[in-house]
Amino acid sequence: MKEQIVAKAYAQSLIELASEAKVDAAKELTDLNVLINKNNDLENLLFLDVFTVEEKEEVMKEILSKLGLSSIVTNFVNFLINEKRISIFPLIFKEVIVIDDHNKGFLRGTIEGSNSEVSPEFKTKMTAYLKEKLGLTTELTYVQNEDITAGYKVTVEDLQLDASLDNQLAKFKDSVLSE
Protein backbone atom coordinates (compact mmCIF):
# COMPACT_ATOMS: atom_id res chain seq x y z
CA MET A 1 0.00 0.00 0.00
CA LYS A 2 2.81 2.39 0.91
CA GLU A 3 4.55 1.75 -2.42
CA GLN A 4 1.28 2.55 -4.24
CA ILE A 5 1.03 5.92 -2.47
CA VAL A 6 4.67 6.72 -3.23
CA ALA A 7 4.20 5.68 -6.87
CA LYS A 8 1.16 7.94 -7.20
CA ALA A 9 3.09 10.89 -5.75
CA TYR A 10 6.00 10.32 -8.12
CA ALA A 11 3.65 9.93 -11.09
CA GLN A 12 1.77 13.14 -10.26
CA SER A 13 5.02 15.07 -9.87
CA LEU A 14 6.42 13.73 -13.14
CA ILE A 15 3.22 14.56 -15.04
CA GLU A 16 3.21 18.12 -13.65
CA LEU A 17 6.87 18.71 -14.51
CA ALA A 18 6.43 17.20 -17.95
CA SER A 19 3.34 19.26 -18.76
CA GLU A 20 5.17 22.47 -17.79
CA ALA A 21 8.00 21.49 -20.15
CA LYS A 22 5.50 20.33 -22.83
CA VAL A 23 6.87 16.76 -22.74
CA ASP A 24 4.69 13.68 -23.24
CA ALA A 25 5.95 11.71 -20.24
CA ALA A 26 3.34 9.00 -20.69
CA LYS A 27 4.56 8.23 -24.22
CA GLU A 28 8.22 8.28 -23.20
CA LEU A 29 7.63 6.03 -20.20
CA THR A 30 5.58 3.70 -22.42
CA ASP A 31 8.52 3.43 -24.82
CA LEU A 32 10.87 2.69 -21.93
CA ASN A 33 8.45 0.18 -20.37
CA VAL A 34 8.07 -1.68 -23.68
CA LEU A 35 11.86 -1.92 -23.97
CA ILE A 36 12.20 -3.18 -20.40
CA ASN A 37 9.48 -5.79 -20.93
CA LYS A 38 11.07 -7.01 -24.19
CA ASN A 39 14.56 -7.36 -22.75
CA ASN A 40 14.96 -9.85 -19.91
CA ASP A 41 18.55 -8.79 -19.19
CA LEU A 42 17.54 -5.14 -18.83
CA GLU A 43 14.69 -6.14 -16.53
CA ASN A 44 17.10 -8.14 -14.38
CA LEU A 45 19.60 -5.29 -14.31
CA LEU A 46 17.02 -2.80 -13.09
CA PHE A 47 14.96 -4.84 -10.67
CA LEU A 48 17.42 -7.27 -9.08
CA ASP A 49 19.72 -6.06 -6.32
CA VAL A 50 22.66 -7.93 -7.84
CA PHE A 51 23.93 -4.85 -9.70
CA THR A 52 25.28 -1.66 -8.15
CA VAL A 53 23.69 1.75 -8.63
CA GLU A 54 26.71 2.78 -10.73
CA GLU A 55 26.30 -0.20 -13.07
CA LYS A 56 22.61 0.52 -13.48
CA GLU A 57 23.29 4.20 -14.16
CA GLU A 58 25.97 3.43 -16.75
CA VAL A 59 23.74 1.05 -18.73
CA MET A 60 20.66 3.26 -18.45
CA LYS A 61 22.61 6.32 -19.60
CA GLU A 62 23.28 4.60 -22.93
CA ILE A 63 19.75 3.23 -23.27
CA LEU A 64 18.02 6.50 -22.40
CA SER A 65 20.16 8.46 -24.85
CA LYS A 66 19.41 5.97 -27.66
CA LEU A 67 15.69 6.17 -26.92
CA GLY A 68 15.93 9.95 -27.22
CA LEU A 69 13.98 10.61 -24.05
CA SER A 70 13.60 14.11 -22.66
CA SER A 71 15.84 15.34 -19.88
CA ILE A 72 12.89 15.30 -17.47
CA VAL A 73 12.22 11.58 -17.98
CA THR A 74 15.94 10.77 -18.08
CA ASN A 75 16.55 12.63 -14.82
CA PHE A 76 13.51 10.96 -13.29
CA VAL A 77 14.75 7.45 -14.14
CA ASN A 78 18.23 8.32 -12.84
CA PHE A 79 16.65 9.65 -9.65
CA LEU A 80 14.77 6.38 -9.16
CA ILE A 81 17.99 4.42 -9.66
CA ASN A 82 19.98 6.63 -7.25
CA GLU A 83 17.31 6.48 -4.56
CA LYS A 84 16.97 2.70 -5.04
CA ARG A 85 13.32 3.17 -6.00
CA ILE A 86 13.54 1.77 -9.53
CA SER A 87 11.73 -1.34 -8.26
CA ILE A 88 8.48 0.67 -8.13
CA PHE A 89 8.84 1.82 -11.75
CA PRO A 90 6.02 -0.50 -12.92
CA LEU A 91 3.66 1.05 -10.34
CA ILE A 92 4.74 4.57 -11.29
CA PHE A 93 4.25 3.76 -14.98
CA LYS A 94 0.73 2.50 -14.30
CA GLU A 95 -0.14 5.63 -12.31
CA VAL A 96 1.29 7.91 -15.03
CA ILE A 97 -0.94 6.22 -17.63
CA VAL A 98 -4.01 6.56 -15.38
CA ILE A 99 -3.30 10.26 -14.72
CA ASP A 100 -2.57 10.92 -18.40
CA ASP A 101 -5.80 9.20 -19.48
CA HIS A 102 -7.73 11.16 -16.89
CA ASN A 103 -6.19 14.42 -18.12
CA LYS A 104 -7.20 13.50 -21.67
CA GLY A 105 -10.77 12.92 -20.48
CA PHE A 106 -11.02 9.19 -20.49
CA LEU A 107 -10.76 6.21 -18.20
CA ARG A 108 -9.84 2.57 -18.65
CA GLY A 109 -11.73 -0.25 -17.00
CA THR A 110 -12.54 -3.93 -17.15
CA ILE A 111 -15.64 -6.01 -17.53
CA GLU A 112 -15.38 -9.42 -15.87
CA GLY A 113 -17.71 -12.30 -16.64
CA SER A 114 -17.88 -16.05 -16.97
CA ASN A 115 -18.36 -16.13 -20.76
CA SER A 116 -15.47 -16.24 -23.21
CA GLU A 117 -16.47 -12.79 -24.52
CA VAL A 118 -18.91 -9.99 -23.78
CA SER A 119 -21.67 -8.99 -26.17
CA PRO A 120 -20.99 -5.76 -28.09
CA GLU A 121 -24.44 -4.48 -27.06
CA PHE A 122 -23.65 -4.84 -23.35
CA LYS A 123 -20.25 -3.22 -23.77
CA THR A 124 -21.78 -0.27 -25.67
CA LYS A 125 -24.57 0.09 -23.10
CA MET A 126 -22.09 0.02 -20.20
CA THR A 127 -19.78 2.55 -21.88
CA ALA A 128 -22.72 4.92 -22.42
CA TYR A 129 -23.87 4.47 -18.80
CA LEU A 130 -20.39 5.23 -17.44
CA LYS A 131 -20.02 8.27 -19.72
CA GLU A 132 -23.35 9.59 -18.40
CA LYS A 133 -22.46 8.94 -14.74
CA LEU A 134 -18.79 9.92 -14.78
CA GLY A 135 -18.74 12.45 -17.60
CA LEU A 136 -15.69 10.78 -19.12
CA THR A 137 -15.21 8.44 -22.06
CA THR A 138 -14.44 4.93 -20.85
CA GLU A 139 -12.46 2.22 -22.62
CA LEU A 140 -13.51 -1.18 -21.34
CA THR A 141 -11.68 -4.45 -21.89
CA TYR A 142 -13.20 -7.85 -21.20
CA VAL A 143 -11.60 -10.41 -18.88
CA GLN A 144 -13.00 -13.89 -18.39
CA ASN A 145 -13.28 -14.71 -14.69
CA GLU A 146 -13.99 -18.31 -13.71
CA ASP A 147 -15.07 -17.19 -10.21
CA ILE A 148 -18.15 -15.43 -11.60
CA THR A 149 -21.07 -17.82 -12.09
CA ALA A 150 -23.25 -15.51 -14.17
CA GLY A 151 -23.54 -11.78 -14.80
CA TYR A 152 -20.82 -9.15 -14.95
CA LYS A 153 -18.55 -7.12 -12.74
CA VAL A 154 -17.41 -3.74 -14.15
CA THR A 155 -14.45 -1.93 -12.58
CA VAL A 156 -13.28 1.57 -13.54
CA GLU A 157 -10.63 2.99 -11.19
CA ASP A 158 -12.24 2.76 -7.74
CA LEU A 159 -15.82 2.42 -9.03
CA GLN A 160 -17.16 -1.13 -9.15
CA LEU A 161 -20.54 -2.19 -10.49
CA ASP A 162 -21.21 -5.78 -9.50
CA ALA A 163 -24.18 -7.31 -11.32
CA SER A 164 -23.00 -10.88 -10.86
CA LEU A 165 -25.21 -13.67 -9.59
CA ASP A 166 -22.67 -14.37 -6.85
CA ASN A 167 -22.99 -10.82 -5.50
CA GLN A 168 -26.79 -10.91 -5.60
CA LEU A 169 -26.84 -14.25 -3.76
CA ALA A 170 -24.43 -12.91 -1.12
CA LYS A 171 -26.66 -9.87 -0.57
CA PHE A 172 -29.73 -12.09 -0.34
CA LYS A 173 -27.97 -14.35 2.18
CA ASP A 174 -26.98 -11.36 4.29
CA SER A 175 -30.51 -9.97 4.26
CA VAL A 176 -32.01 -13.33 5.29
CA LEU A 177 -29.48 -13.87 8.07
CA SER A 178 -29.88 -10.34 9.44
CA GLU A 179 -33.64 -10.72 9.93
Side-chain angles (χ1 to χ4, degrees), residues 32 35-37 39-64 77-78 80-82 84-87 89:
L32 179 58
L35 181 66
I36 291 169
N37 289 336
N39 190 322
N40 224 8
D41 292 336
L42 180 58
E43 192 172 353
N44 290 338
L45 170 84
L46 290 175
F47 301 126
L48 296 180
D49 290 331
V50 177
F51 300 95
T52 66
V53 169
E54 292 77 23
E55 290 170 326
K56 291 178 183 183
E57 279 182 327
E58 188 178 320
V59 171
M60 287 308 291
K61 181 180 178 184
E62 290 295 318
I63 291 170
L64 296 173
V77 172
N78 286 330
L80 291 176
I81 292 170
N82 283 320
K84 297 183 180 177
R85 294 280 182 134
I86 195 68
S87 62
F89 176 79

Side-chain angles (χ1 to χ4, degrees), residues 52 64 75 86 110 114-115 118 120-121 137 139 154 179:
T52 66
L64 296 173
N75 291 339
I86 195 68
T110 59
S114 59
N115 299 337
V118 68
E121 299 84 31
T137 304
E139 181 182 305
V154 180
E179 292 179 9

Side-chain angles (χ1 to χ4, degrees), residues 37-38 40 139 141 153 157:
N37 289 336
K38 282 184 180 177
N40 224 8
E139 181 182 305
T141 55
K153 189 185 296 186
E157 287 190 357

Side-chain angles (χ1 to χ4, degrees), residues 147-150 162 164-171:
D147 295 333
I148 296 175
T149 307
D162 194 342
S164 66
L165 179 63
D166 305 310
N167 183 49
Q168 292 174 14
L169 289 173
K171 285 182 179 179

Side-chain angles (χ1 to χ4, degrees), residues 168-178:
Q168 292 174 14
L169 289 173
K171 285 182 179 179
F172 179 68
K173 178 183 171 188
D174 290 344
S175 70
V176 168
L177 293 176
S178 67

